[in-house]
Each structure stands twice: as structure tokens, then as C-alpha cells.
Amino acid sequence: MMADTSNPPLVVDRKARMKIPFVDLDLRDPGERIFDFEDVVIPFTPERARQEASRCIHCPDPAACVGACPAHNDIPKAMGLIEQGRFLEAAQVYHQTSTLPEICGRVCPHEQLCQGACPRNKREEPVLTGALEAFVLDYEREHQPFQIPVGEQTGKKVAVIGAGPAGWAVAEKLVGFGHKITIFDSKPAPGGLLVYGIPNFKLPKDVVWKKWNDLKKAGVAFVGNTYIGKDKTVDDLFAEGFDAVFLGVGSGIDAKMEKTPGTDLPGVYESTDFLIRGNVEPKYLPLEIDEPLKVGRHVVVIGGGDTASDCLRTALRMGAGEV
Ligand code: SF4
């Protein structure tokens, strides 16, 4: 039998790789992006992705990036495949350990996880593993869309409460086992935090809707505007014939500033309310919060984390002159 030479083994010369210069992500001009809610990051080209992946020095097992990844994605393997231009195979590496890689590639805090653990940090910048993950999943979507595997039907029905990332992940796993899944949520549209929390300039909604279409094609059903605990109970679901119920409701309640006078005045918003009103398309807004958001010239954001950053970026895009 002839040896397969179509995919020659990766040559890893760590010293040579350490000399490959870091080139940061391309971002859209701030003067342009301040006027819209489109993605801030300019995606990699295939050539640029291969170049960036070639900066990986393929740390000895266990690589720090894999240990720091909550899903334990085999990042060095994916980096090797990307470097060789084998993007579809790299996408498969992510599918093995993650149900939402196209979303994690965009919104995971990579700087604190895989990229934060990368030893290239010691001298310069880490391998941009997050953007590379997003790149290969987009490439796969364009060239050979992934289909969620559906198992042989068991006749069992499972109710998933909460249409956010946890609910979607459970739904994908359970259709793989052949169960019928119905997801319930209090909001009109599926997505949870992916739709009602993360702004479009960080996570373009077409990425979210395409993933939801994958789930629908796999047979996952959605019932919106249904608050389990008020509109119906878990016992009602069992009485309706569901064999199991998964609770994946997340935490949608903001930290309160009850001791601070004035938090109930007009023009003062809690972050979740502000981000929903500012970022969600009107047709997907719950009825009780469908009135337009009013942002003044001068905006104060209290807090300094990711959510505060999302709020200030939203306020600027909505016309605030100073935040
Ligand atoms: S930690 Fe960084 S250099 Fe090491 S294998 Fe992971 S991505 Fe590559």
C-alpha cells in the first residue's frame, strides 16, 4: 500500500515559530463603527488564519490552552490543521467537545482562558485561538454546513426550560440520543443571553439565527412567551406527557443598588433592561419593554466589567456624546 502523502506531518520548530511576528486582529475604524451595530472584528482571510495558527508552538501535552478551556477543546490539534489549510477538519475538532463553537469563538473571554494560558504571552501576544475558532466555523458554514446528528427515535419527550446556551446545548445532545425536544422560554424568540444580552457588535445575530436553524432542522421545537412557574408549572409539563424536564434558566436578574437614592428615576436603567432595549430588534422585544430607549447626551455607567463595557458601547452607538 502507498503511503498517504497528501497531508504531510506538521514540522514544529519551536525556536523558529517564536520568531514569527504577532499581527493583531483587524478591527473596523472606530469612526465608522460608532454609527452602527455591526461586527467590530474583520474576519481572518484563509491566508491570515494559516499564518496566525503557525505561531502555535504545540506545547507538550497537556497544553495550557486545553486545560484553560472549559470545554477542553483540542486547540493545538485545531491549530495544526488550520496551519495546513485543513479548515473543515479543524471545525470537526471543535464539534467534538463543544455544541456552540461558532459562538464561543466570538464571546468566550479568551484573554482569561485559552489565550490567557498560552505561554507565548510571556514574551509577546498569545496565539489568537478565539478568532481562529470563529474563522473555521464560519468557513465550514459557508462551504460544508454542519448538520446536527439526530439519533434513532426513542419516543421520549424532553422539555427544556430556558432557550439560552445551556438549553441549546442540552437540546443538541438529546436529539443526538433520539429524544424529542421542546424548548420553553419567557421571551418571544429563542437565544436567551445570545439574543437578549450580547450586543450584535460582539455577536452578530445572523450567527445565532443560523445555529437556531440547525436546531430546528434537527427537530427542536420552541414555545416562546411562556414563563414556566407562572404560565404553567413543571408538574403541568409532566402531565402533558414530557418524560423529563431540564431547567436551564440562567440568571437574568441584575445586581440591585437599593441603597443608592435615585435609581428609580426616569432615565436610570438596569444593565439587562438597557442592553435588551438598545440591542434587540423591536419584533423580538417582550411586550412589557417594547418602548424605545432614550439615551441622553451625557451617560454614566456604573461598573467596570464586560456588561458595563457593553452598555457604554451601546450608549455611544445610540448617540451619547460622552460616556
Ligand atoms: S498554549 Fe498557545 S502555543 Fe501552546 S498549544 Fe496552546 S495555542 Fe499553541
Side-chain angles (χ1 to χ4, degrees):
M1 188 188 287
M2 298 244 322
D4 179 5
T5 54
S6 55
N7 293 313
L10 202 64
V11 177
V12 179
D13 177 341
R14 291 199 171 106
K15 277 192 185 153
R17 283 172 180 251
M18 287 302 285
K19 290 184 186 147
I20 300 173
F22 172 72
V23 182
D24 207 348
L25 284 173
D26 288 327
L27 304 179
R28 290 170 57 224
D29 186 82
E32 175 196 318
R33 65 191 201 226
I34 196 76
F35 295 110
D36 64 45
F37 283 75
E38 301 307 315
D39 200 351
V40 167
V41 177
I42 299 173
F44 281 137
T45 60
E47 297 72 31
R48 178 77 185 85
R50 292 183 68 171
Q51 179 200 19
E52 180 57 23
S54 71
R55 292 181 60 244
C56 175
I57 57 172
H58 293 266
C59 303
D61 191 24
C65 56
V66 181
C69 170
H72 299 310
N73 290 335
D74 191 344
I75 295 168
K77 185 173 182 185
M79 294 301 108
L81 291 166
I82 295 170
E83 179 180 342
Q84 293 179 308
R86 296 158 67 184
F87 304 132
L88 294 174
E89 290 165 81
Q92 285 304 318
V93 171
Y94 293 109
H95 286 304
Q96 279 167 18
T97 40
S98 171
T99 53
L100 298 169
E102 63 272 72
I103 289 163
C104 295
R106 289 179 164 86
V107 301
C108 268
H110 305 108
E111 300 78 11
Q112 289 140 41
L113 300 173
C114 50
Q115 292 181 193
C118 179
R120 293 211 60 149
N121 262 324
K122 287 186 190 144
R123 294 224 195 134
E124 31 136 32
E125 299 290 335
V127 181
L128 296 173
T129 50
L132 287 167
E133 181 180 4
F135 165 78
V136 291
L137 271 297
D138 287 352
Y139 183 93
E140 180 191 49
R141 172 78 66 193
E142 195 180 327
H143 292 86
Q144 193 176 299
F146 175 72
Q147 288 187 350
I148 294 174
V150 178
E152 198 176 321
Q153 294 302 292
T154 61
K156 301 285 185 196
K157 288 169 47 180
V158 179
V160 170
I161 302 174
W168 284 19
V170 164
E172 181 166 332
K173 286 287 175 199
L174 293 185
V175 293
F177 292 132
H179 305 321
K180 278 272 170 231
I181 310 300
T182 303
I183 304 183
F184 295 86
D185 200 284
S186 61
K187 301 280 194 316
L193 191 69
L194 307 178
V195 171
Y196 297 96
I198 303 176
N200 197 71
F201 49 79
K202 275 170 73 173
L203 175 62
K205 291 302 163 279
D206 66 317
V207 174
V208 178
W209 299 136
K210 283 173 184 166
K211 179 68 192 184
W212 173 244
N213 272 336
D214 293 345
L215 286 160
K216 274 203 300 189
K217 274 190 213 153
V220 176
F222 174 68
V223 178
N225 293 315
T226 305
Y227 196 120
I228 302 297
K230 284 185 189 163
D231 299 319
K232 60 171 70 182
T233 65
V234 170
D235 285 342
D236 291 336
L237 294 172
F238 283 118
E240 286 173 20
F242 286 100
D243 298 286
V245 174
F246 172 78
L247 302 176
V249 293
S251 170
I253 299 174
D254 294 280
K256 301 285 178 201
M257 295 178 59
E258 283 147 348
K259 293 189 179 153
T260 308
T263 50
D264 54 349
L265 290 172
V268 179
Y269 296 94
E270 291 179 343
S271 57
T272 307
D273 189 27
F274 184 81
L275 290 174
I276 290 178
R277 289 173 197 265
N279 287 288
V280 177
E281 280 185 66
K283 65 181 174 185
Y284 298 130
L285 281 173
L287 283 178
E288 67 275 14
I289 55 171
D290 66 350
E291 67 197 64
L293 182 67
K294 292 195 185 93
V295 174
R297 290 292 301 154
H298 302 286
V299 174
V300 172
V301 176
I302 301 175
D306 258 8
T307 304
S309 160
D310 289 347
C311 288
L312 81 86
R313 294 166 79 187
T314 298
L316 286 171
R317 283 164 173 77
M318 298 202 68
E322 188 183 307
V323 182

